[in-house]
Amino acid sequence: MADLRDLYQEVVIDHSKRPHNFHKLEDANRSAQGYNPLCGDKVTVYVKLENGRLRDVSFEGSGCAISTASASIMTEAVKGKTAEEARNLFESFHDLVTRGNAPDDRATPLGKLAVFSNVSEYPVRVKCATLAWHTLRSALESSESVVSTE
Ligand code: ZN
């Protein structure tokens, strides 16, 4: 587990300092805002949805290292996937950060998202890690309302 912890630290710190896809998506046709009042994390997720597939995904916002890194890694993980695949990935990710392990589902491999497995040891951090995902799901459902993790 020590190796995974080191990897976790490294990947999370790297993505929180230099988040990927961190900009407004000018040709987005879906977007949603999310807010985690427990920590103060705010995120806006932009999606360019074409024929049911996430052609491009980006985000803006401010928050703690975990929320920023999770949003950054999420945009990479879901880009090119169908909306249904993205939802399935969120379910696996949610299991990972709440239980510490994900169902052995080869259809939705977690890949780099696995670095968040030890978030399950810090329940207050689960909302930081899942904020961007809740917001993505809201964007895909075309809800214009602000998402709260509460
Ligand atoms: Zn946070």
Side-chain angles (χ1 to χ4, degrees):
M1 284 306 284
D3 289 348
L4 186 62
R5 272 174 202 280
D6 290 347
L7 176 69
Y8 164 82
Q9 296 276 352
E10 203 174 296
V11 172
V12 169
I13 290 168
D14 190 49
H15 276 267
S16 65
K17 284 185 177 166
R18 289 177 293 275
H20 300 187
N21 305 305
F22 187 71
H23 57 83
K24 185 177 182 187
L25 197 62
E26 295 299 339
D27 58 351
N29 53 11
R30 297 282 192 284
S31 69
Q33 288 178 284
Y35 176 49
N36 172 18
L38 280 183
C39 183
D41 308 315
K42 287 179 182 167
V43 67
T44 304
V45 173
Y46 303 95
V47 180
K48 184 182 181 186
L49 194 67
E50 257 180 20
N51 301 321
R53 201 171 279 276
L54 287 70
R55 291 289 170 207
D56 207 354
V57 186
S58 73
F59 79 105
E60 287 181 318
S62 60
C64 65
I66 288 177
S67 69
T68 303
S70 179
S72 173
I73 294 170
M74 178 193 79
T75 58
E76 295 195 319
V78 300
K79 199 181 278 191
K81 289 197 160 41
T82 66
E84 191 186 350
E85 285 167 343
R87 281 190 204 99
N88 289 340
L89 198 56
F90 178 29
E91 281 179 27
S92 297
F93 182 72
H94 195 267
D95 283 349
L96 178 78
V97 296
T98 53
R99 294 182 209 155
N101 57 45
D104 188 19
D105 182 356
R106 293 294 154 207
T108 53
L110 282 163
K112 202 189 273 183
L113 296 168
V115 299
F116 288 97
S117 63
N118 75 347
V119 166
S120 63
E121 295 170 30
Y122 309 96
V124 72
R125 289 300 190 184
V126 169
K127 293 182 179 197
C128 301
T130 57
L131 176 64
W133 288 91
H134 283 291
T135 309
L136 172 70
R137 190 168 61 183
S138 174
L140 292 175
E141 287 166 1
S142 287
S143 167
E144 294 299 321
S145 60
V146 174
V147 181
S148 172
T149 52
E150 285 301 285

